[in-house]
């Protein structure tokens, strides 16, 4: 169930973020730590996990009509095959974000190698967490909560909602939810419990806590 912790065969600890009953072979998990910025392991040291969502100039206006200010990054996680709109900004995103490219290559490879070396199987998929999933976790933590995912503005999760689990905000990390009023704004969770937005290219100040879908056979 959502909120439960599990230990995988490689002894890493993850949190369930989507209920998975006995009829399902897979489960969706959220890492308990950030991945190191060189994808060599896990860390609770923020200085080892800082990475920009999208580095300056990574996606240019010449081939991407949505990212109007590429020097400050772009807030769409993956390349889209259709036009996207945020507020009054629209266009076609033709490239994956810097962070997605890193996750799909280096981070995925590290996790797969760790699991298979311990007798497990490779993951089915990998990505960042969404604001909706953060709200799902908060709502399960206390039935009186009514967390609705925000797309503009910011909130202090631990002030507004009851019994927010500390593991949700123990590290600073990016989400994959874009800020609707700006093509450069992306949401993040910081260690003080705030869900707020910053420029996609923000001095490599936040980390990656990946979400994976795996076969349950990987659980110890």
């Amino acid at each position: 169930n959502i909120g439960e912790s599990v230990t995988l065969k490689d002894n890493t600890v993850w949190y369930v973020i989507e209920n998975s009953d006995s009829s399902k072979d897979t489960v969706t998990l959220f890492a308990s730590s950030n991945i190191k910025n060189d994808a060599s392991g896990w860390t609770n040291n923020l200085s080892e996990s800082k990475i920009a969502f999208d580095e300056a100039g990574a996606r240019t206006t010449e081939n991407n009509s949505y990212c109007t200010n590429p020097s400050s990054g772009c807030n769409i996680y993956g390349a889209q095959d259709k036009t996207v709109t945020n507020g009054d900004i629209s266009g076609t995103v033709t490239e994956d974000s810097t962070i997605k490219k890193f996750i799909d290559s280096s981070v995925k490879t590290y996790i797969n190698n760790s699991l298979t070396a311990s007798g497990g199987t490779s993951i089915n998929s990998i990505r960042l967490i969404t604001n909706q999933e953060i709200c799902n976790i908060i709502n399960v933590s206390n039935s009186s909560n009514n967390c609705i995912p925000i797309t503009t503005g910011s909130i202090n999760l631990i002030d507004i909602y009851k019994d927010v689990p500390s593991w949700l905000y123990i590290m600073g990390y990016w989400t994959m939810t874009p800020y609707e009023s700006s093509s450069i704004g992306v949401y993040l969770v910081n260690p003080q419990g705030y869900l707020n937005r910053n420029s996609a290219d923000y001095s490599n100040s936040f980390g990656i806590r990946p979400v994976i879908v795996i076969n349950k056979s990987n659980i110890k």
Side-chain angles (χ1 to χ4, degrees):
N1 292 323
I2 292 177
E4 292 185 44
S5 65
V6 296
T7 302
L8 302 186
K9 287 183 175 179
D10 63 355
N11 291 316
T12 55
V13 177
W14 297 73
Y15 290 92
V16 179
I17 61 169
E18 183 178 288
N19 290 337
S20 182
D21 60 36
S22 58
S23 67
K24 297 179 181 178
D25 293 329
T26 61
V27 60
T28 304
L29 303 176
F30 184 44
S32 61
S33 301
N34 283 8
I35 195 80
K36 289 185 178 180
N37 53 18
D38 62 358
S40 65
W42 303 98
T43 183
N44 288 319
N45 182 348
L46 188 59
S47 66
E48 293 181 319
S49 68
K50 293 177 179 178
I51 187 169
F53 185 93
D54 209 17
E55 64 200 17
R59 295 183 276 187
T60 66
T61 54
E62 286 76 25
N63 61 12
N64 186 341
S65 56
Y66 173 84
C67 303
T68 57
N69 189 4
S71 63
S72 295
C74 181
N75 66 6
I76 297 299
Y77 180 70
Q80 308 292 308
D81 59 3
K82 59 184 179 181
T83 296
V84 294
T85 301
N86 276 4
D88 60 356
I89 306 165
S90 63
T92 302
V93 176
T94 58
E95 298 176 60
D96 287 340
S97 62
T98 298
I99 209 168
K100 184 178 188 301
K101 292 175 182 176
F102 179 64
I103 290 172
D104 287 349
S105 58
S106 300
V107 179
K108 184 178 182 181
T109 297
Y110 173 79
I111 295 173
N112 280 339
N113 288 344
S114 180
L115 285 172
T116 56
S118 303
T121 60
S122 297
I123 61 179
N124 294 34
S125 63
I126 186 169
R127 57 175 172 82
L128 292 179
I129 197 168
T130 67
N131 287 9
Q132 178 66 66
E133 288 169 325
I134 289 171
C135 271
N136 294 345
I137 294 164
I138 290 171
N139 287 336
V140 166
S141 70
N142 190 304
S143 59
S144 67
N145 288 328
N146 182 30
C147 182
I148 299 173
I150 59 172
T151 56
T152 59
S154 62
I155 55 174
N156 187 338
L157 300 172
I158 59 178
D159 278 357
I160 295 177
Y161 302 111
K162 297 179 180 178
D163 304 320
V164 178
S166 59
W167 56 262
L168 190 63
Y169 58 89
I170 194 170
M171 291 289 293
Y173 58 89
W174 295 101
T175 81
M176 64 184 292
T177 302
Y179 182 75
E180 281 193 350
S181 298
S182 165
S183 67
I184 64 173
V186 185
Y187 276 93
L188 52 93
V189 174
N190 68 27
Q192 290 74 46
Y194 280 90
L195 177 65
N196 55 14
R197 68 103 177 181
N198 258 304
S199 168
D201 174 34
Y202 188 64
S203 304
N204 300 322
S205 294
F206 299 92
I208 296 173
R209 287 181 69 180
V211 169
I212 61 173
V213 177
I214 63 165
N215 192 283
K216 290 177 182 176
S217 63
N218 283 292
I219 299 174
K220 292 182 71 173

